[in-house]
Amino acid sequence: MTNTNDLQSLLKRIEKATARLEDLAAKRSETTKPDEPSKASTDASVDVEDSKAALEYERAIKPLVEHFVSCSAKIGGLVSDQAQFVQQLYTAQHDFVRLAGTCKQPSPSQLPTLLGAQQSAIQSACALKDANRPSEYFDNLSAVAEGVAAFGWVAVAPTPVPFVNDMKESAEFYTNRVLRKWRESDPNQVEWVKALLSIFRELAVYVKQFHTTGLVWNPKGGDAEAAAKALGNADSAPVSTPPAPQLPSATQDEPKASSAGGSTRGALFADLNRGGGVTTGLRKVDTTQMTHKNPSLRAAGTVSGDSTTAPAAPAAPAAPKAKAPRMELQKDKWVVENYDSENLSIEATATWQTVYMYNCTNTTLIISGKLNSVAIDNCQKCGIVFDSLVSQCEIVNSKRVQVQARETVPSILVDRTDGAHLFLSEAARDATQITTAKASEVNVSFPFETANPEDDDTVEQP
């Protein structure tokens, strides 16, 4: 009796399972009809649905970017303008991550087009920094310009996480300077630094969780370019943003020149496509007109013949006009820029004054008195001599620079510099912290003590 009950129970379970499978098969046949192919079979990329990675990207990064934009608005000016480019960069990358969740990996030739919006936002942020070097917020602009490169992880494989962390560390070099400058006087700057760095920290966590070895694409998805067009048509109208800043060297005639250059290149490629016929218009040169066989022609510099005169080469573009040299005190900041082959001197009258030396060549600057800090930017073959500093001496984007501290200097930073020679006094020898980043040929000279003071000499160390 027991066996019969077990058999009947088993038959009922089999009947239920069979009925469920029949219902599923009926539903599938209704959704996919022969005369009406499914949307996924025609083009899976047209309807871009957010994947789990895209949803997490928006949840984790969007609030941080919005908080950073609001912190930048409190500071205002150039800092707020640059934050708008960060907002654009986030929006463009969010759309790109959405595409990756529903599309197959594009070919290398398609990838630059898909990354165009992100690249444009990064370039705009960097251009704003380069066009405003004398600004008091230059450290803020530099921190963002260095850090936004972290968003380039989408094109890095197989180690995108270390790449993001490296870019964050590059940004921290400048955020530390922002904190040293504004920590006591402006709490908005402290909040701004925290907001900026939180973006990069959370970005590294997100990439490690969802894209450990590179951006993950959907192998069963559709075409990425078609999905990008569909996504652009489906999204709402873009928010108006300030135009990208114009670099000082930009001119009004660049569009015309580019169009003329395009037509010239088109004609050149058309001739090359003719194959052997491209040489039909050339004239045969007689041996008497060959300069390598006739030394007299080389001496004369001309070749006889009935050939037409070659068109004159286009005139070289005019050299950029040199900016006028300037040395003046702006509030508490000495600005020394655009000097060439000069010997200059500054007398510091207060310990909170700073010196900023920019775009100088073959120039020596002697500073007497104690002041806060010294910065050397984009200088070549220059030297600075100072008595004592409260904060630090910074050397950035320079070549073959010499710095001498007569008394004390707490720290010296050398960043992106080729050739820096530091001369330290006996007092600064053991008390100075030297930090280098992307620098080469950095040497330090300091006095070396011996048992006999008369034998003391200066020692140079790399």
Side-chain angles (χ1 to χ4, degrees), residues 221-296:
D223 180 68
E225 283 190 336
K229 294 178 181 178
L231 182 62
N233 295 332
D235 288 343
S236 58
V239 180
S240 60
T241 55
Q246 293 183 353
L247 296 179
S249 60
T251 62
Q252 298 292 338
D253 299 333
E254 285 184 351
K256 299 179 180 179
S258 61
S259 61
S263 60
T264 303
R265 287 191 294 271
L268 173 62
F269 286 119
D271 288 340
L272 293 177
N273 290 333
R274 291 165 54 191
V278 72
T279 60
T280 55
L282 298 180
R283 179 176 62 87
K284 183 175 178 60
V285 179
D286 188 73
T287 55
T288 59
Q289 296 177 328
M290 298 180 182
T291 55
H292 65 285
K293 294 186 178 181
N294 295 276
S296 59

Side-chain angles (χ1 to χ4, degrees), residues 82-98:
Q82 194 182 44
Q84 297 302 318
F85 296 127
V86 178
Q87 178 73 58
Q88 295 178 29
L89 177 58
Y90 159 76
T91 303
Q93 185 159 108
H94 178 226
D95 293 341
F96 190 74
V97 174
R98 293 174 64 190

Side-chain angles (χ1 to χ4, degrees), residues 97-119:
V97 174
R98 293 174 64 190
L99 290 180
T102 57
C103 303
K104 295 182 292 186
Q105 184 171 2
S107 63
S109 60
Q110 293 176 321
L111 194 58
T113 302
L114 298 175
L115 293 174
Q118 299 177 57
Q119 184 178 5

Side-chain angles (χ1 to χ4, degrees), residues 82 122 125-127 129 140-149:
Q82 194 182 44
I122 294 176
C126 295
K129 181 263 296 185
N140 300 70
L141 303 179
S142 299
V144 175
E146 292 289 334
V148 292

Side-chain angles (χ1 to χ4, degrees), residues 350-354 370-374 388-393 410:
T351 56
W352 54 79
Q353 291 182 348
T354 63
K370 187 174 184 179
L371 69 161
N372 185 276
S373 63
V374 172
S388 181
L389 298 182
V390 176
S391 178
Q392 64 182 355
C393 175

Side-chain angles (χ1 to χ4, degrees), residues 448-457:
F448 180 73
E449 295 183 354
T450 61
N452 185 2
E454 296 181 357
D455 296 334
D456 290 355
D457 198 0

Side-chain angles (χ1 to χ4, degrees), residues 3 34 36 53 65 87 96 121 133 195 205 229 250 298 323-324 352 354 368 409 443 446 451:
N3 294 336
E36 185 179 350
V65 173
Q87 178 73 58
F96 190 74
R133 289 183 176 274
V205 173
K229 294 178 181 178
R298 290 198 298 271
K323 295 183 179 180
W352 54 79
T354 63
S368 58
V409 51
N443 296 323
F446 53 87

